[in-house]
Amino acid sequence: MSKVMMGVTMSLDGFIAGPNDSPEHPLGEGGERLFEWYSSGDTEYTFPASDMVFKISAASADMLRKVFSSLGAIVTGRRTFDITDGWDGRHPLDLPVFVVTHTVPHDWIEAHPDAPFTFVTEGVESAVRQAQAVAGDKNVAVGAASLVQQCLAAGLLDEVHVDLVPVLLGGGVRLFDKLGPRTIELEKAEVIDAPDVTHLTYRVVKPG
Ligand SMILES: NC(=O)c1ccc[n+]([C@@H]2O[C@H](COP(=O)([O-])OP(=O)(O)OC[C@H]3O[C@@H](n4cnc5c(N)ncnc54)[C@H](OP(=O)(O)O)[C@@H]3O)[C@@H](O)[C@H]2O)c1
């Protein structure tokens, strides 16, 4: 059955970007350390819609191939969209993208008429439902912190995937922020101990 999952790279102290992220520093100050595992191995991974080539460990490459091939659509937030300039209209995974935002960027849409991007102003749940409709029996990936928080709070997320990097960033964009005092139970599904990163996958336990 199709799943709603999240997948991000996170520092051991819980940040997915350092402070002051911007188009010049997409992962914030010092945050580029998070993605060092993408170039520290000897196995090549090439994205379907980008000339970007990762050099990662064989274990990480197996994991990425499995996860990425399971996806049918991506839901992201407006800050990530702005910081990447919408990947210039084509996500590296060549998938339809749903951007949750308060305002539709009409100029960008005019400049990228063929981009498979949908701007959703009715909130996260609507974006996830629209992404699921397009993804069919494939999974939907939710990226960026604010959306992960809202999906967890709304019980929309089935799986949490974190690529955990052994560094303490000390500040920036915190992944599991603003969730309030509630307890959310997770069930360990898989741990892959790659050389420079630990890939952690958990199922979200739904209440009741
Ligand atoms: N380490 C990783 O693997 C990884 C992966 C992805 C992203 N990142 C980083 O994460 C950071 C961005 O994450 P973020 O959590 O700060 O921002 P985000 O989720 O990308 O975007 C947040 C913005 O989305 C819009 N939004 C969110 N929820 C909404 C709702 N319910 N209704 C309407 N609009 C809504 C709002 O923008 P508007 O009000 O302007 O519309 C909000 O300010 C960047 O630094 C990015 O580089 C890291």
Side-chain angles (χ1 to χ4, degrees):
M1 204 171 98
S2 151
K3 286 182 287 199
V4 180
M5 55 188 295
M6 55 141 289
V8 292
T9 298
M10 187 182 83
S11 65
L12 187 57
D13 55 347
F15 296 99
I16 63 164
N20 304 317
D21 53 4
S22 66
E24 292 72 40
H25 299 284
L27 289 171
E29 291 162 8
E32 66 282 356
R33 166 69 182 88
L34 290 173
F35 282 2
E36 278 182 15
W37 67 274
Y38 284 138
S39 55
S40 66
D42 51 16
T43 304
E44 289 198 351
Y45 178 87
T46 310
F47 281 88
S50 160
D51 49 13
M52 206 167 33
V53 178
F54 286 172
K55 295 207 72 173
I56 53 187
S57 69
S60 294
D62 284 350
M63 184 279 299
L64 284 189
R65 280 190 202 103
K66 189 175 110 193
V67 172
F68 287 166
S69 65
S70 79
L71 300 178
I74 289 170
V75 179
T76 194
R78 180 61 188 268
R79 293 195 64 241
T80 300
F81 169 83
D82 284 343
I83 282 172
T84 60
D85 192 26
W87 299 274
D88 210 17
R90 194 172 178 204
H91 190 278
L93 293 177
D94 215 8
L95 291 172
V97 178
F98 294 79
V99 183
V100 185
T101 182
H102 290 99
T103 50
V104 176
H106 295 288
D107 290 353
W108 189 91
I109 293 171
E110 265 176 43
H112 302 83
D114 299 325
F117 281 55
T118 305
F119 296 89
V120 181
T121 53
E122 301 86 30
V124 171
E125 180 153 4
S126 171
V128 168
R129 299 297 171 226
Q130 291 183 53
Q132 281 180 310
V134 166
D137 57 4
K138 293 206 148 194
N139 296 332
V140 169
V142 177
S146 80
L147 299 192
V148 168
Q149 291 152 17
Q150 294 176 67
C151 284
L152 276 170
L156 292 170
L157 213 57
D158 300 306
E159 199 169 280
V160 167
H161 176 93
V162 170
D163 305 309
L164 190 67
V165 174
V167 64
L168 304 175
L169 287 184
V173 179
R174 193 183 282 283
L175 180 59
F176 298 117
D177 206 0
K178 300 176 189 152
L179 287 169
R182 76 168 74 187
T183 299
I184 297 170
E185 289 286 347
L186 307 172
E187 220 173 55
K188 187 169 67 183
E190 189 175 34
V191 176
I192 300 171
D193 191 13
D196 300 312
V197 59
T198 306
H199 306 294
L200 303 168
T201 307
Y202 297 92
R203 279 182 287 274
V204 180
V205 178
K206 302 286 169 80

